Amino acid sequence: MLQHFSYKPMYDNKQLPGWTFAFFFRNTRYTGDYMPEGDIRWNGEAPTEEENVKKMIHELMTFHIYD
């Protein structure tokens, strides 16, 4: 489970797509960029269970951004 998930637009012009995000997973903080096409670029090391974490991020971003 992701804890303390937060995101914000990459650009001041909020019409341009792209977001940065941060969260804790198993007591480790991770950050990255969520691209408009749904790609995730990690800033630093990727979490263990990366594919499961990506699914959780996609669900959260879909709920918060595209809803």
Side-chain angles (χ1 to χ4, degrees):
M1 176 181 214
L2 306 182
Q3 297 177 331
H4 305 288
F5 184 83
S6 64
Y7 70 95
K8 66 179 182 176
M10 278 185 186
Y11 308 102
D12 289 334
N13 177 357
K14 294 181 184 210
Q15 292 179 334
L16 295 173
W19 301 267
T20 60
F21 62 83
F23 62 90
F24 284 87
F25 180 70
R26 297 195 175 176
N27 298 321
T28 303
R29 186 173 191 266
Y30 296 96
T31 62
D33 299 325
Y34 189 85
M35 307 310 292
E37 59 279 347
D39 291 339
I40 293 174
R41 297 184 187 153
W42 299 106
N43 298 332
E45 212 173 299
T48 58
E49 301 179 38
E50 181 178 9
E51 290 306 311
N52 288 335
V53 171
K54 282 184 175 182
K55 287 178 187 176
M56 290 186 264
I57 292 171
H58 287 305
E59 288 177 16
L60 287 165
M61 294 303 283
T62 301
F63 178 75
H64 288 296
I65 293 182
Y66 298 112
D67 194 24

